[in-house]
Amino acid sequence: MSERDPAMGPATEAFVAHRNLLFTVAYEMLGSATDAEDVLQETWLRWVDVDFATVQAPRAFLVRITTRQALKRLRTLGRRKESYVGPWLPEPLLTAPDVAEDVELAESVSMAMLLVLETLAPTERAVFVLREVFALDYDEIAEAVGKAPATVRQIAHRARAHVAARRPRGTGSPAEHRAALQAFQAAVETGDLQGLLDILAPDVVALSDGGGVKHALLRPVVGVDKVARLLAGGWWKRDAERTVEPVQINGGPGLLVRVDGEIDGVLAVRVENGYVTGAYHVRNPEKLASVKREIAVSRRASP
C-alpha cells in the first residue's frame, strides 16, 4: 500500500507500514510463509487491543509481539518436523528482483541461510535474526524474548559464532547469478552431463522435499559427480508436459517447474563464485502456495 487511506486509524496505519518487516521477522524465524502469515494475524489481534496512545515506538512494540508469537509457533514446528518424511526444506518464496539487490536481506532469507538457522535453538534463532538482520539493540531484543540484556548479549555471541561456522560463502553479483542459472537450466533441461560438471561446485549439495506426498530424495546427495549424474538423468522428471521458468526464489536464482501447466515444484539454486553449490528442490504441495505470486520481504517499514 503506497498511499495512506485517510479512513485508517493510526494503529492500523502503523501495522500496515510495518507489515512486510513483521512478515520477514516471522518468516526468518520459522522458515514457513504459511506460519508467518498466521503469526501476523495473531500479532494484529493483539495489536488492536493495545491502547495506541501509550505506544511510544510502534516498530519495537510490533516486533516484540511478532517475535513472541513466532517463538511459540517455532516450538510447535519443531515437534512437527520430528515426524517429517525425508529432508525438511523451508517454504520457498517468489520474491521481487529488487530483493537480490539488498545483499544482506537476500542472504538472510536464502534457503541456505534458513537451513543454517534451523540448527539454532528457538531463542538463539530469534536473537540472531533480530540482532544481525534487523539491527535491534539488546534492550529491545531482551523485551522480545523475555531475557535480561546481558543474557541476550551472550546468546547473540554464541549464535553468531554458530552461524559463522556454517553460513554460506560469498555469493557474487545478481549478474553472476543469472549467468550461472542460465547455464544450469540449459544443462538440466537437456541432460547435459558435461554442462552440469562445468557449472556445479565440487562440494555441491542437492536436497529435495516431497513431504511424503511427492517423489523426492530421502537424503542429501553430495559431490559434483553424484549431483551431476542425478540431474542429467532427470531425477525430477516424469512423463508429462513440463516447463521450466527462471524466477527469483528467496532473493536468489531459481527455477519454477510446471507439469501440464500446474506448479509441480521449485528448484532454488545457491550460486557462489559463479558455481552452483546448492540445489534445493521443493515439491511438497503444502509449501508451494507462496510461489504463485510475489511475496514482499523487507528489513524496513514502508514509507
Side-chain angles (χ1 to χ4, degrees):
M1 185 177 295
S2 58
E3 296 184 3
R4 299 290 184 234
D5 183 342
M8 286 196 302
T12 304
E13 186 174 301
F15 184 85
V16 170
H18 290 89
R19 190 188 188 287
N20 292 344
L21 180 150
L22 299 175
F23 172 85
T24 309
V25 169
Y27 177 73
E28 293 198 20
M29 286 183 60
L30 300 170
S32 165
T34 303
D35 287 289
E37 289 289 357
D38 288 344
V39 163
L40 256 63
Q41 180 64 24
E42 292 162 1
T43 298
W44 166 250
L45 293 175
R46 284 159 177 76
W47 177 243
V48 294
D49 284 338
V50 172
D51 180 0
F52 186 73
T54 66
V55 177
Q56 296 181 348
R59 177 181 183 267
F61 201 103
L62 283 164
V63 168
R64 183 163 68 245
I65 299 174
T66 300
T67 300
R68 289 175 178 175
Q69 296 307 310
L71 277 171
K72 290 180 184 178
R73 186 64 62 103
L74 187 58
R75 296 184 175 102
T76 300
L77 284 177
R79 293 191 292 271
R80 193 188 309 170
K81 291 170 189 172
E82 290 175 0
S83 59
Y84 199 80
V85 178
W88 181 94
L89 288 176
E91 185 177 339
L93 303 179
L94 182 65
T95 51
D98 62 348
V99 173
E101 304 296 333
D102 185 339
V103 176
E104 291 184 10
L105 176 61
E107 181 187 23
S108 72
V109 299
S110 70
M111 299 288 274
M113 178 57 80
L114 291 174
L115 286 173
V116 172
L117 295 182
E118 280 293 309
T119 64
L120 294 172
T123 301
E124 288 179 329
R125 185 167 183 171
V127 170
F128 180 87
V129 167
L130 295 178
R131 179 63 181 173
E132 300 301 316
V133 181
F134 296 94
L136 267 66
D137 63 43
Y138 290 111
D139 289 340
E140 287 181 291
I141 299 172
E143 286 283 337
V145 301
K147 303 282 185 183
T151 302
V152 167
R153 285 179 181 272
Q154 294 175 347
I155 293 172
H157 177 75
R158 186 168 63 244
R160 192 180 304 116
H162 181 96
V163 171
R166 295 163 177 80
R167 77 187 308 152
R169 301 180 293 275
T171 61
S173 68
E176 289 175 322
H177 286 182
R178 288 191 294 272
L181 182 65
Q182 288 173 358
F184 178 78
Q185 179 181 353
V188 167
E189 287 185 303
T190 60
D192 180 1
L193 179 60
Q194 187 57 52
L196 287 163
L197 291 170
D198 290 341
I199 195 62
L200 297 177
D203 56 351
V204 62
V205 178
L207 293 153
S208 64
D209 178 345
V213 179
K214 292 290 190 74
H215 174 76
L217 302 171
L218 292 179
R219 59 186 59 85
V221 176
V222 182
V224 60
D225 290 332
K226 290 181 180 179
V227 174
R229 294 183 188 284
L230 186 70
L231 292 169
W235 64 289
W236 49 276
K237 294 181 179 179
R238 290 294 180 270
D239 293 330
E241 182 180 343
R242 184 174 300 271
T243 60
V244 179
E245 174 189 353
V247 290
Q248 285 281 328
I249 296 295
N250 288 59
L255 301 174
L256 184 64
V257 182
R258 298 180 189 271
V259 173
D260 297 329
E262 298 294 326
I263 294 175
D264 180 73
V266 170
L267 188 61
V269 179
R270 178 75 183 178
V271 176
E272 300 175 20
N273 302 318
Y275 292 95
V276 172
T277 59
Y280 311 99
H281 187 207
V282 180
R283 294 194 72 211
N284 184 347
E286 294 183 358
K287 294 186 176 184
L288 297 176
S290 296
V291 296
K292 295 178 180 177
R293 60 179 179 83
E294 286 186 359
I295 302 294
V297 293
S298 176
R299 292 186 294 160
R300 302 172 183 82
S302 301

